[in-house]
Short mmCIF file of all heavy atoms in Angstrom, two decimals:
data_model
loop_
_atom_site.label_atom_id
_atom_site.label_comp_id
_atom_site.label_asym_id
_atom_site.label_seq_id
_atom_site.Cartn_x
_atom_site.Cartn_y
_atom_site.Cartn_z
N GLY Z 1341 -155.01 41.09 39.84
CA GLY Z 1341 -154.18 39.88 40.04
C GLY Z 1341 -154.85 38.57 39.67
O GLY Z 1341 -154.20 37.52 39.73
N TYR Z 1342 -156.10 38.61 39.30
CA TYR Z 1342 -156.75 37.37 38.84
C TYR Z 1342 -157.70 37.69 37.72
O TYR Z 1342 -158.16 38.83 37.65
CB TYR Z 1342 -157.50 36.70 40.01
CG TYR Z 1342 -158.61 37.55 40.55
CD1 TYR Z 1342 -159.89 37.52 40.00
CD2 TYR Z 1342 -158.39 38.43 41.62
CE1 TYR Z 1342 -160.91 38.33 40.48
CE2 TYR Z 1342 -159.40 39.25 42.11
CZ TYR Z 1342 -160.65 39.20 41.52
OH TYR Z 1342 -161.65 40.01 41.99
N PRO Z 1343 -158.02 36.78 36.85
CA PRO Z 1343 -157.51 35.41 36.75
C PRO Z 1343 -156.02 35.41 36.36
O PRO Z 1343 -155.66 36.10 35.41
CB PRO Z 1343 -158.34 34.81 35.61
CG PRO Z 1343 -158.77 35.98 34.80
CD PRO Z 1343 -158.96 37.11 35.76
N LYS Z 1344 -155.26 34.63 37.11
CA LYS Z 1344 -153.82 34.62 36.83
C LYS Z 1344 -153.55 34.17 35.38
O LYS Z 1344 -152.69 34.72 34.70
CB LYS Z 1344 -153.08 33.69 37.80
CG LYS Z 1344 -151.57 33.81 37.62
CD LYS Z 1344 -150.75 33.31 38.79
CE LYS Z 1344 -149.27 33.53 38.50
NZ LYS Z 1344 -148.40 32.58 39.19
N VAL Z 1345 -154.29 33.17 34.98
CA VAL Z 1345 -154.15 32.67 33.61
C VAL Z 1345 -155.41 33.05 32.84
O VAL Z 1345 -156.51 32.63 33.21
CB VAL Z 1345 -153.97 31.14 33.61
CG1 VAL Z 1345 -154.01 30.60 32.20
CG2 VAL Z 1345 -152.67 30.78 34.31
N SER Z 1346 -155.25 33.85 31.81
CA SER Z 1346 -156.42 34.30 31.04
C SER Z 1346 -156.11 34.28 29.55
O SER Z 1346 -155.02 34.68 29.12
CB SER Z 1346 -156.80 35.72 31.48
OG SER Z 1346 -157.70 36.29 30.55
N GLY Z 1347 -157.07 33.83 28.77
CA GLY Z 1347 -156.84 33.78 27.33
C GLY Z 1347 -158.12 33.58 26.53
O GLY Z 1347 -159.21 33.46 27.11
N PHE Z 1348 -157.95 33.59 25.23
CA PHE Z 1348 -159.10 33.47 24.32
C PHE Z 1348 -158.77 32.44 23.24
O PHE Z 1348 -157.67 32.42 22.69
CB PHE Z 1348 -159.39 34.82 23.66
CG PHE Z 1348 -160.76 34.89 23.07
CD1 PHE Z 1348 -161.80 35.51 23.75
CD2 PHE Z 1348 -161.03 34.32 21.83
CE1 PHE Z 1348 -163.08 35.57 23.22
CE2 PHE Z 1348 -162.30 34.35 21.29
CZ PHE Z 1348 -163.33 34.99 21.99
N ILE Z 1349 -159.77 31.63 22.93
CA ILE Z 1349 -159.60 30.62 21.88
C ILE Z 1349 -160.75 30.72 20.89
O ILE Z 1349 -161.92 30.66 21.28
CB ILE Z 1349 -159.53 29.20 22.51
CG1 ILE Z 1349 -158.26 29.10 23.38
CG2 ILE Z 1349 -159.55 28.12 21.43
CD1 ILE Z 1349 -158.09 27.77 24.10
N HIS Z 1350 -160.40 30.91 19.62
CA HIS Z 1350 -161.41 30.93 18.56
C HIS Z 1350 -161.61 29.53 17.99
O HIS Z 1350 -160.64 28.80 17.79
CB HIS Z 1350 -160.97 31.86 17.41
CG HIS Z 1350 -161.45 33.26 17.57
ND1 HIS Z 1350 -160.59 34.32 17.77
CD2 HIS Z 1350 -162.70 33.80 17.58
CE1 HIS Z 1350 -161.29 35.44 17.88
NE2 HIS Z 1350 -162.59 35.15 17.77
N VAL Z 1351 -162.86 29.19 17.71
CA VAL Z 1351 -163.16 27.87 17.15
C VAL Z 1351 -163.93 28.04 15.84
O VAL Z 1351 -164.55 29.06 15.60
CB VAL Z 1351 -163.98 27.00 18.14
CG1 VAL Z 1351 -163.30 26.95 19.52
CG2 VAL Z 1351 -165.41 27.48 18.26
N PRO Z 1352 -163.88 27.01 14.95
CA PRO Z 1352 -164.61 27.05 13.67
C PRO Z 1352 -166.11 26.85 13.87
O PRO Z 1352 -166.58 26.50 14.95
CB PRO Z 1352 -164.03 25.85 12.89
CG PRO Z 1352 -162.78 25.45 13.59
CD PRO Z 1352 -163.00 25.82 15.03
N TYR Z 1353 -166.85 27.04 12.80
CA TYR Z 1353 -168.25 26.64 12.75
C TYR Z 1353 -168.40 25.14 13.03
O TYR Z 1353 -167.50 24.36 12.73
CB TYR Z 1353 -168.82 26.86 11.34
CG TYR Z 1353 -169.33 28.25 11.02
CD1 TYR Z 1353 -168.84 28.93 9.92
CD2 TYR Z 1353 -170.33 28.84 11.77
CE1 TYR Z 1353 -169.32 30.20 9.58
CE2 TYR Z 1353 -170.82 30.10 11.44
CZ TYR Z 1353 -170.32 30.77 10.36
OH TYR Z 1353 -170.79 32.01 10.02
N LEU Z 1354 -169.56 24.74 13.51
CA LEU Z 1354 -169.95 23.32 13.50
C LEU Z 1354 -170.30 22.92 12.07
O LEU Z 1354 -170.78 23.77 11.31
CB LEU Z 1354 -171.18 23.10 14.38
CG LEU Z 1354 -171.01 23.42 15.85
CD1 LEU Z 1354 -172.36 23.28 16.57
CD2 LEU Z 1354 -169.98 22.46 16.46
N PRO Z 1355 -170.13 21.63 11.72
CA PRO Z 1355 -170.50 21.21 10.36
C PRO Z 1355 -171.93 21.60 9.98
O PRO Z 1355 -172.17 22.09 8.87
CB PRO Z 1355 -170.33 19.68 10.42
CG PRO Z 1355 -169.26 19.47 11.46
CD PRO Z 1355 -169.49 20.54 12.49
N ARG Z 1356 -172.89 21.42 10.89
CA ARG Z 1356 -174.28 21.70 10.50
C ARG Z 1356 -174.51 23.18 10.23
O ARG Z 1356 -175.47 23.55 9.56
CB ARG Z 1356 -175.26 21.18 11.56
CG ARG Z 1356 -175.11 21.83 12.93
CD ARG Z 1356 -176.12 21.25 13.93
NE ARG Z 1356 -175.93 21.79 15.25
CZ ARG Z 1356 -175.47 21.11 16.30
NH1 ARG Z 1356 -175.15 19.83 16.19
NH2 ARG Z 1356 -175.34 21.68 17.48
N GLN Z 1357 -173.64 24.05 10.74
CA GLN Z 1357 -173.82 25.48 10.50
C GLN Z 1357 -173.43 25.91 9.09
O GLN Z 1357 -173.85 26.97 8.63
CB GLN Z 1357 -172.99 26.30 11.51
CG GLN Z 1357 -173.45 26.16 12.94
CD GLN Z 1357 -172.70 27.14 13.83
OE1 GLN Z 1357 -171.59 26.89 14.23
NE2 GLN Z 1357 -173.32 28.28 14.12
N VAL Z 1358 -172.59 25.13 8.43
CA VAL Z 1358 -172.12 25.57 7.11
C VAL Z 1358 -172.87 24.93 5.96
O VAL Z 1358 -172.60 25.21 4.79
CB VAL Z 1358 -170.59 25.32 6.93
CG1 VAL Z 1358 -169.81 26.04 8.02
CG2 VAL Z 1358 -170.26 23.84 6.93
N VAL Z 1359 -173.84 24.08 6.29
CA VAL Z 1359 -174.60 23.38 5.24
C VAL Z 1359 -175.20 24.36 4.24
O VAL Z 1359 -175.19 24.12 3.03
CB VAL Z 1359 -175.70 22.50 5.88
CG1 VAL Z 1359 -176.78 22.17 4.88
CG2 VAL Z 1359 -175.08 21.23 6.46
N LYS Z 1360 -175.69 25.48 4.74
CA LYS Z 1360 -176.37 26.43 3.85
C LYS Z 1360 -175.47 27.60 3.42
O LYS Z 1360 -175.91 28.52 2.75
CB LYS Z 1360 -177.62 27.00 4.54
CG LYS Z 1360 -178.70 25.96 4.82
CD LYS Z 1360 -179.24 25.36 3.52
CE LYS Z 1360 -180.17 24.18 3.79
NZ LYS Z 1360 -180.32 23.32 2.61
N LYS Z 1361 -174.22 27.59 3.84
CA LYS Z 1361 -173.34 28.72 3.52
C LYS Z 1361 -172.55 28.43 2.26
O LYS Z 1361 -171.50 27.80 2.31
CB LYS Z 1361 -172.39 29.00 4.69
CG LYS Z 1361 -173.10 29.48 5.95
CD LYS Z 1361 -172.12 29.87 7.03
CE LYS Z 1361 -172.80 29.95 8.39
NZ LYS Z 1361 -173.86 30.98 8.49
N HIS Z 1362 -173.07 28.87 1.14
CA HIS Z 1362 -172.36 28.58 -0.10
C HIS Z 1362 -171.30 29.62 -0.41
O HIS Z 1362 -170.20 29.30 -0.79
CB HIS Z 1362 -173.34 28.41 -1.26
CG HIS Z 1362 -173.97 27.05 -1.24
ND1 HIS Z 1362 -173.40 25.98 -1.85
CD2 HIS Z 1362 -175.07 26.59 -0.63
CE1 HIS Z 1362 -174.13 24.90 -1.64
NE2 HIS Z 1362 -175.17 25.25 -0.91
N GLY Z 1363 -171.65 30.86 -0.24
CA GLY Z 1363 -170.65 31.92 -0.45
C GLY Z 1363 -170.12 31.94 -1.87
O GLY Z 1363 -170.58 31.18 -2.74
#
Side-chain angles (χ1 to χ4, degrees):
Chain Z
Y1342 63 87
K1344 187 161 182 207
V1345 173
S1346 166
F1348 198 99
I1349 295 178
H1350 269 114
V1351 308
Y1353 275 125
L1354 297 175
R1356 62 180 176 250
Q1357 293 188 279
V1358 302
V1359 159
K1360 295 297 172 200
K1361 294 186 197 297
H1362 280 273

